[in-house]
Amino acid sequence: MVVGEIAVETDVVVIGGGPGGYSAAIRLGQLGKSVVLVEKEELGGVCLNSGCIPSKALIHAAGLLYDAKSAAKMGIRTEADALTFDLTVWQDWKSGIVRRLRGGVEQLCAANGVTVVKGSAIFLSADRIGVESESGFETYKFRQAIVATGSRPHIPSFAKAGEPRILTSTDALDEAQLPGSLAIVGSGYIGIELGMAFAKLGCKVTLIEREERILPLVDVSLVEEVKRRARKLGMTIKTSATVRTAVAHDDRVELHVDSQRHGEEVIVSDKVLVTIGRVPNTEAIGLSQAGVTVDERGYVEVDAECRTNVSHIFAIGDITPGPALAHRAAKQGTVAAEVIGGLPSAVDSPYIPYVIFSDPQIAGVGLTREEAERQGMKVKTGRFPFRANGYALAAGKTDGFAEVVVDADSHLLLGMHAVGADAASLISQGALALELAAKAEDVALTVHPHPTLSEGWLEAAAAALGHAIHIVNERRLEHE
């Protein structure tokens, strides 16, 4: 900042235009605040432009191809070479979706009076930011600020920056040609989702996981169906294995791996995808100059109103401790905006659902049985397998189950979890039920349409109560 410069004044600056940032900016506009939204790349952030939306477009396309090739049992016959996948055409399809959604965000911002500035923001003080753009450097003076700068892939030491054969998830979704073989380092949700999609498209996929099992942060009882399908897809799974070095050649990459089971081995593939977590984007935005503190990992601690230690500066999304989920960021953004607007608002619910777009899908909200037991709770569980569901049988999607976890005495729902086709959509009922403090009886007494997968919730709740209709009742009462 130079002496004598004139700062543009605004009520609120929002730094970062991802799902959390643009949701906050739009809500602030609705509440009558003047808002400057600063985004250094494209509105929509990683989620819309290079993460959630593009990856689901690939996963859906791969699923269509796989299902079509597997549909002979339903009477659908194809020649061996009649179905192919053209990645170039898919890239055009993906880009069209992204452009359409991004255009929608731009229109919503404009309709709500949000001033969008493209550039890199940095705090100059507790009430000023500077924005560097192609047109120069501008200063903005604000009353409140919301920081929503998101996260980026963690790049381990063995992965050289700029090496074209070692990819991040963003790189993988921008590939112009499918690799014949792909090694994936890390089997969290990104590694599993993309790995299964590439395997369905014909790639030879090897998963390398440091922990003892894939999806190590997900309850083990929810993972088995995915593990079975991965093996059916021909994926090689190497657990308790650590990559030491990567040697890239013109036509391949050699990963030198220490495996608990096989000792030292070399895994050769056309390309390598690294999916071992993300890190918050907080180190280059001048937070210390605004007085905002971060922890040793770069995260910003916030309270239920999303306030940082500086009361008029808020932080949301991936830069705050907790799961890096777009819907969590959007909720936080709305809360921060409403607090700034003088409304009573807070992130006061523990019920943040998660979804993994694996095959079959996994989704959950609330506690698993194991988590509840560790907290000293006495619980019942009810599980309904989709192989007993009429629609699942008709659609050939019988893998998985719906499960409820309830308090043994009060029957209050503590958690709802689904593994199976369309679990991503099914879990919204679970989130609503827990948010409303529903009991197992509430779900079991609610009429669910037939034939649908949603009937799994009714049957699971009834099973927890001991009177499921379409399965033999096994009352799973723990500690009783």
Side-chain angles (χ1 to χ4, degrees):
M1 187 171 66
V2 297
V3 176
E5 74 168 83
I6 299 175
V8 178
E9 295 195 16
T10 186
D11 291 334
V12 189
V13 295
V14 180
I15 304 175
Y22 77 69
S23 296
I26 290 169
R27 187 70 179 111
L28 285 163
Q30 293 172 347
L31 294 170
K33 297 292 183 180
S34 59
V35 188
V36 172
L37 172 60
V38 184
E39 169 56 53
K40 67 179 181 179
E41 294 180 0
E42 299 287 354
L43 283 180
V46 169
C47 179
L48 192 159
N49 293 283
S50 59
C52 309
I53 301 303
S55 67
K56 302 319 169 279
L58 184 70
I59 290 165
H60 182 68
L64 288 176
L65 181 67
Y66 179 76
D67 287 347
K69 288 183 174 181
S70 306
K73 61 186 177 183
M74 297 182 183
I76 300 173
R77 305 288 184 183
T78 61
E79 297 297 330
D81 59 351
L83 289 172
T84 59
F85 178 73
D86 190 322
L87 187 59
T88 302
V89 175
W90 176 83
Q91 289 288 3
D92 291 340
W93 164 253
K94 175 200 75 172
S95 298
I97 295 167
V98 170
R99 283 194 301 271
R100 181 175 179 178
L101 289 171
R102 192 165 60 221
V105 174
E106 292 169 354
Q107 291 176 5
L108 288 168
C109 287
N112 287 281
V114 176
T115 299
V116 178
V117 176
K118 187 168 185 177
S120 298
I122 186 169
F123 281 97
L124 304 175
S125 67
D127 66 351
R128 280 177 168 77
I129 63 165
V131 179
E132 187 172 359
S133 65
E134 292 181 357
S135 59
F137 189 86
E138 193 82 52
T139 303
Y140 295 86
K141 187 175 187 296
F142 58 86
R143 293 180 176 86
Q144 282 97 12
I146 299 176
V147 187
T149 46
S151 63
R152 64 187 185 278
H154 171 65
I155 306 300
S157 58
F158 66 77
K160 294 181 180 179
E163 171 50 57
R165 290 190 175 273
I166 300 180
L167 314 174
T168 66
S169 56
T170 299
D171 300 327
L173 292 166
D174 284 337
E175 285 286 277
Q177 187 175 355
L178 287 172
S181 57
L182 179 69
I184 300 179
V185 183
S187 69
Y189 73 95
I190 296 176
I192 288 292
E193 289 181 352
L194 293 182
M196 297 188 93
F198 277 108
K200 289 178 178 179
L201 296 173
C203 299
K204 182 180 178 182
V205 175
T206 301
L207 282 175
I208 304 167
E209 171 56 53
R210 182 179 60 183
E211 303 298 329
E212 294 180 352
R213 60 182 178 87
I214 62 172
L215 293 170
L217 298 181
V218 181
D219 188 87
V220 65
S221 67
L222 304 175
V223 176
E224 286 305 309
E225 297 279 4
V226 173
K227 185 177 177 180
R228 280 194 287 271
R229 179 56 60 86
R231 295 196 186 280
K232 186 175 180 181
L233 290 172
M235 299 170 67
T236 300
I237 299 174
K238 294 183 177 293
T239 54
S240 300
T242 302
V243 177
R244 296 303 181 191
T245 59
V247 181
H249 300 276
D250 291 340
D251 60 346
R252 68 190 188 282
V253 181
E254 296 176 358
L255 292 179
H256 295 256
V257 177
D258 285 345
S259 170
Q260 195 173 84
R261 182 175 300 174
H262 301 291
E264 295 184 10
E265 58 181 323
V266 177
I267 297 172
V268 180
S269 60
D270 293 336
K271 293 195 174 180
V272 172
L273 170 59
V274 180
T275 62
I276 57 174
R278 300 182 67 85
V279 293
N281 294 322
T282 53
E283 72 280 5
I285 56 174
L287 287 174
S288 62
Q289 293 172 191
V292 176
T293 58
V294 300
D295 68 16
E296 67 280 359
R297 298 183 300 157
Y299 290 97
V300 181
E301 295 283 350
V302 294
D303 63 15
E305 295 182 332
C306 300
R307 294 183 192 269
T308 69
N309 63 296
V310 179
S311 63
H312 67 283
I313 299 179
F314 298 72
I316 63 174
D318 291 6
I319 65 170
T320 64
L325 299 169
H327 47 281
R328 172 177 173 264
K331 174 64 176 178
Q332 288 180 308
T334 301
V335 166
E338 291 177 345
V339 170
I340 290 171
L343 299 178
S345 190
V347 183
D348 56 2
S349 171
Y351 302 123
I352 305 295
Y354 73 90
V355 174
I356 302 171
F357 287 84
S358 50
D359 184 7
Q361 295 175 1
I362 300 175
V365 62
L367 300 175
T368 64
R369 182 184 66 180
E370 289 74 14
E371 289 170 336
E373 288 176 339
R374 283 198 296 269
Q375 294 183 25
M377 298 179 181
K378 187 169 64 173
V379 298
K380 295 178 182 179
T381 62
R383 177 181 290 189
F384 181 76
F386 286 129
R387 66 178 180 272
N389 176 271
Y391 181 80
L393 284 163
K397 300 287 186 180
T398 56
D399 291 343
F401 54 86
E403 182 177 79
V404 300
V405 182
V406 303
D407 181 87
D409 297 322
S410 68
H411 296 174
L412 182 71
L413 286 163
L414 302 174
M416 296 175 70
H417 310 275
V419 180
D422 211 25
S425 296
L426 291 175
I427 202 58
S428 293
Q429 182 179 155
L432 180 62
L434 268 65
E435 190 65 37
L436 295 178
K439 295 184 176 182
E441 289 87 346
D442 295 315
V443 176
L445 290 171
T446 299
V447 178
H448 289 65
H450 174 78
T452 65
L453 294 175
S454 69
E455 293 173 279
W457 291 130
L458 183 157
E459 294 281 355
L465 299 170
H467 56 73
I469 297 298
H470 291 97
I471 55 172
V472 176
N473 285 282
E474 294 182 14
R475 296 191 62 185
R476 300 176 65 188
L477 178 54
E478 306 301 327
H479 306 305
E480 195 177 63

